Amino acid sequence: MENKPIARVLKLLSQLMELHEENSFKVKTIATAGFTIDKLPFSIAKKSLQEMEGIRAIGKSVAAKVQELIETGSLKELDELLADTPPGVVEIMTIKGLGPKKVLVIWKSLGIENIGELYYACNENRLIEAKGFGLKTQEEIKKAIEFKMASNGRFLYSQAESFGNILLNDFKKVLTHELISFVGAFRRKVEIIDGLDILVGCALNPTLLDYLHTLDYLKVVETKDNSIEAESPAGIKVYIRFCNPENYYKNLVLQSGSPEHIKELEIRIGSALPDVGSEEELYTLADLPFIEPELREGEFEFKLADQKALPVLIKQTDLKGSLHNHSTWSDGINSLEEMVVYCKEEMHLQYLGICDHSKSAFYAKGLSEERVLAQQTEIDLLNTKYAPFKVFKGIESDILFDGSLDYPVEILSRFDFIVASIHSVFKMSEEKATSRLIKAIENPYTTILGHPTGRLLLSRSGYPVDIKKVIDACAENGVVIEINANPLRLDIDWRWHQYALEKGVMLSINPDAHSINGFRDTHYGVMAARKGGLSAANCLNALSLDEINLFFERKRLITRN
Ligand SMILES: [Zn+2]
Ligand SMILES: [Zn+2]
């Protein structure tokens, strides 16, 4: 065994010992020994135990460990510490700038157990107030995680969106025509993309190429006859393809749809796609109504078209209120009143559902019974002050390990509506996770099932769950399913929306806002809902204030009986 791996093991051991708050003198001894071994001009493995003990900064106790490592290939002490540490927490320690002391706060005080949750917490500004952190550290951590994600070449739609829009707008400035569009997964608004595709209806000429070279936020990587490959500073790949104007619309359809969509389209037309004057014309040739780009996945759009049931997809302006939001009462960063004013004045909504965390969410300042009552008094005052705008009294109730909700019935019955979500104990079998969710769904006080799988895109897959059974249970119990609009979540996945709709389940586009800016995430929720084929009629928060009042009232009547 060479010095380097031995030094690495000792470094990890010292970090884990510090993480588990072992004697600081011992921690320092191990760390120093590791550092020393790394710099030795000879191989430590070739030395006898006595010779090792004689080396300064190693000594008796560390020499024994090195010996154990060389002979067995492992260290019992390290294995035990690893067994007591979630693997995700060990991974967090590899992030630049995060030593054991900070990781301990992240793990124990904030309840974060992997990089995905840490990234989510940065986006929710949860690190700012943690001991030893601040806005600057939070930003550094966020950047370091994004760097790690980028090295995998995959991005959230939201990470590429503003860059893509700037690029397209700048590009349009040098074109004398309108034949330019995003194509590919980005145009279909897929939640995770591995690049941006742009189609231009003209030949690639030197003027265009020169212009692209002047853009300081775009690095041209390769130029071919009819295409350019470039890259954003964050590492997002950009593919720009050029075609003759007369082939533009054919290529627009060809390059926008998924392979499955294109294959079916060709079958219906009975040949390869011909040149046309518009996208609509192509769909007419296939005897189909126009299919929105978001739906061109080959999943369910043809079936719906055949049934003459293609939905009018929901739009941002269809949303009349925002349910599931947090304020400073729990882990939000804006006061309840600031949230109300923003919703009313800036988002032009009719109502706000406030759902701070329930008491089990200790890391998020979850509300005790007394604080629930105090918050409800404030809500009454706000409802008088800002009428006819209405604040609904909600809670995001933790679903406990056994599937029960977090308060006794006396408290549960005081809310207008309840979002039930899982926030802890993610390691469960599919059977356990499913029955835990179903028990919460069957609770008569549950109105909405929050982020049903707990996934964090690109970083945490969420607990394994039988989604079909969960949707069936929601249908049976009249429970609405959330489309969590946070671009990291977009949970429930759009691929399940049609099944939910078939079963008569309503969906709700919830920003889960932890600040006034968080309301803007509804944009991504609408995007996911459109991919799933949701129309305003099946969206809970597209109901007007009068309608949703009635909806909650009806649910309450059922609960009481
Ligand atoms: Zn939640
Ligand atoms: Zn929430």
Side-chain angles (χ1 to χ4, degrees):
M1 199 177 225
E2 288 179 37
N3 289 355
K4 268 240 174 310
I6 296 172
R8 260 204 301 269
V9 169
L10 291 179
K11 185 179 170 198
L12 180 61
L13 176 64
S14 72
Q15 286 179 324
L16 284 170
M17 286 167 72
E18 194 178 349
L19 185 68
H20 287 270
E21 300 181 281
E22 292 192 13
N23 179 300
S24 61
F25 179 74
K26 275 192 188 160
V27 170
K28 192 136 190 257
T29 308
I30 303 277
T32 314
F35 188 77
T36 307
I37 289 171
D38 196 23
K39 299 273 175 280
L40 286 178
F42 52 83
S43 170
I44 186 103
K46 295 212 169 79
K47 300 287 169 190
S48 71
L49 187 61
Q50 283 82 1
E51 284 170 318
M52 280 188 221
E53 288 172 358
I55 300 171
R56 252 185 70 157
I58 294 188
K60 247 192 159 87
S61 70
V62 183
K65 289 190 210 310
V66 175
Q67 181 91 336
E68 183 193 343
L69 187 59
I70 292 165
E71 279 172 6
T72 66
S74 63
L75 263 184
K76 200 162 157 269
E77 196 179 348
L78 179 65
D79 293 344
E80 283 168 5
L81 285 168
L82 281 171
D84 284 342
T85 320
V89 172
V90 180
E91 207 194 339
I92 289 176
M93 283 202 298
T94 65
I95 294 174
K96 219 176 118 223
L98 281 183
K101 281 203 178 58
K102 283 205 167 68
V103 177
L104 185 65
V105 175
I106 288 171
W107 179 22
K108 295 290 178 181
S109 308
L110 298 173
I112 291 166
E113 296 202 343
N114 62 49
I115 291 187
E117 290 170 8
L118 181 60
Y119 188 63
Y120 182 78
C122 289
N123 280 316
E124 301 292 307
N125 283 313
R126 277 179 51 200
L127 260 62
I128 292 180
E129 285 178 35
K131 197 171 156 243
F133 292 81
L135 186 62
K136 195 164 159 262
T137 318
Q138 177 176 279
E139 287 308 304
E140 281 166 8
I141 294 171
K142 203 173 144 184
K143 276 219 181 82
I145 298 175
E146 277 172 355
F147 184 76
K148 241 180 152 73
M149 283 178 170
S151 64
N152 301 328
R154 305 177 78 207
F155 296 85
L156 299 175
Y157 177 88
S158 61
Q159 290 172 326
E161 188 184 35
S162 67
F163 162 74
N165 286 335
I166 291 170
L167 176 62
L168 196 74
N169 277 334
D170 280 350
F171 213 156
K172 279 180 181 167
K173 289 178 194 156
V174 284
L175 289 177
T176 48
H177 59 74
E178 286 290 305
L179 301 183
I180 179 166
S181 170
F182 291 119
V183 286
F186 188 77
R187 186 175 185 219
R188 294 200 309 277
K189 300 197 160 60
V190 178
E191 64 278 21
I192 292 172
I193 57 160
D194 50 19
L196 277 177
D197 298 276
I198 295 176
L199 177 68
V200 190
C202 71
L204 172 55
N205 61 57
T207 324
L208 283 174
L209 191 58
D210 285 348
Y211 177 71
L212 286 174
H213 277 288
T214 65
L215 299 175
D216 57 0
Y217 59 83
L218 192 77
K219 191 174 95 198
V220 176
V221 179
E222 200 189 349
T223 310
K224 290 185 186 159
D225 285 350
N226 288 316
S227 67
I228 291 171
E229 191 188 321
E231 209 177 285
S232 82
I236 303 169
K237 294 250 187 291
V238 182
Y239 305 94
I240 309 171
R241 295 186 191 84
F242 297 81
C243 70
N244 293 327
E246 54 273 25
N247 311 132
Y248 177 75
Y249 288 103
K250 173 180 84 178
N251 279 312
L252 184 59
V253 172
L254 263 178
Q255 295 178 26
S256 294
S258 73
E260 293 75 18
H261 179 87
I262 299 303
K263 201 172 146 203
E264 180 64 25
L265 201 54
E266 285 175 339
I267 290 172
R268 292 187 179 223
I269 290 177
S271 69
L273 304 188
D275 284 322
V276 279
S278 70
E279 287 193 296
E280 285 81 354
E281 204 178 302
L282 247 181
Y283 286 96
T284 308
L285 277 177
D287 205 14
L288 288 164
F290 178 72
I291 296 177
E292 299 276 5
E294 292 98 320
L295 295 182
R296 300 182 199 169
E297 295 286 351
E299 293 255 346
F300 53 78
E301 67 276 25
F302 292 103
K303 191 179 113 198
L304 291 184
D306 291 343
Q307 297 166 349
K308 307 227 175 308
L310 266 183
V312 177
L313 298 181
I314 191 161
K315 304 182 299 297
Q316 184 78 33
T317 47
D318 289 326
L319 302 186
K320 299 290 180 277
S322 175
L323 305 166
H324 189 175
N325 304 288
H326 300 261
S327 71
T328 44
W329 278 92
S330 67
D331 60 348
I333 59 167
N334 285 104
S335 70
L336 182 46
E337 183 157 10
E338 285 165 343
M339 297 291 275
V340 170
V341 171
Y342 194 87
C343 242
K344 183 172 185 270
E345 307 294 337
E346 305 295 325
M347 302 293 292
H348 308 292
L349 298 176
Q350 302 172 2
Y351 54 90
L352 164 71
I354 198 77
C355 288
D356 276 303
H357 284 286
S358 65
K359 62 182 179 184
S360 290
F362 63 91
Y363 53 85
K365 291 194 289 164
L367 304 185
S368 64
E369 276 92 347
E370 298 76 47
R371 295 182 64 234
V372 167
L373 301 182
Q375 187 190 47
Q376 296 197 345
T377 307
E378 184 185 337
I379 293 175
D380 289 335
L381 292 172
L382 291 170
N383 274 333
T384 312
K385 186 168 171 188
Y386 292 102
F389 187 89
K390 175 144 184 185
V391 186
F392 285 106
K393 297 168 182 167
I395 193 83
E396 181 174 20
S397 174
D398 265 33
I399 299 173
L400 304 179
F401 190 63
D402 66 357
S404 57
L405 298 185
D406 206 7
Y407 294 110
V409 167
E410 308 89 81
I411 294 292
L412 291 176
S413 61
R414 289 174 181 268
F415 295 109
D416 292 317
F417 75 109
I418 289 173
V419 176
S421 317
I422 288 183
H423 290 118
S424 59
V425 200
F426 282 74
K427 283 177 218 89
M428 296 170 279
S429 66
E430 180 175 311
E431 213 186 337
K432 170 69 197 165
T434 307
S435 66
R436 185 177 172 189
L437 282 172
I438 290 177
K439 184 158 177 228
I441 292 162
E442 286 171 346
N443 189 311
Y445 290 96
T446 301
T447 322
I448 302 176
L449 179 65
H451 43 74
T453 72
R455 76 175 183 185
L456 293 174
L457 291 169
L458 289 179
S459 47
R460 181 175 84 189
S461 54
Y463 31 86
V465 62
D466 188 332
I467 296 270
K468 237 184 177 144
K469 279 190 185 158
V470 168
I471 293 173
D472 292 345
C474 287
E476 269 164 46
N477 294 280
V479 167
V480 177
I481 299 180
E482 168 174 283
I483 301 171
N484 191 294
N486 187 304
L488 273 162
R489 291 189 182 269
L490 302 178
D491 180 14
I492 186 171
D493 190 282
W494 61 265
R495 293 161 190 83
W496 285 103
H497 294 184
Q498 281 302 311
Y499 183 72
L501 296 173
E502 274 167 30
K503 293 278 159 174
V505 173
M506 275 191 120
L507 301 174
S508 184
I509 300 174
N510 296 346
D512 201 353
H514 285 68
S515 68
I516 52 173
N517 292 329
F519 288 121
R520 299 284 167 192
D521 282 350
T522 44
H523 166 70
Y524 301 108
V526 169
M527 183 186 95
R530 288 173 63 91
K531 279 201 80 57
L534 183 69
S535 59
N538 299 308
C539 178
L540 180 66
N541 59 316
L543 294 181
S544 70
L545 177 58
D546 288 343
E547 289 165 336
I548 203 162
N549 252 323
L550 208 67
F551 181 92
F552 289 152
E553 193 52 46
R554 212 173 284 149
K555 173 87 184 170
R556 245 197 313 265
L557 281 174
I558 296 167
T559 311
R560 278 193 210 124
N561 291 318

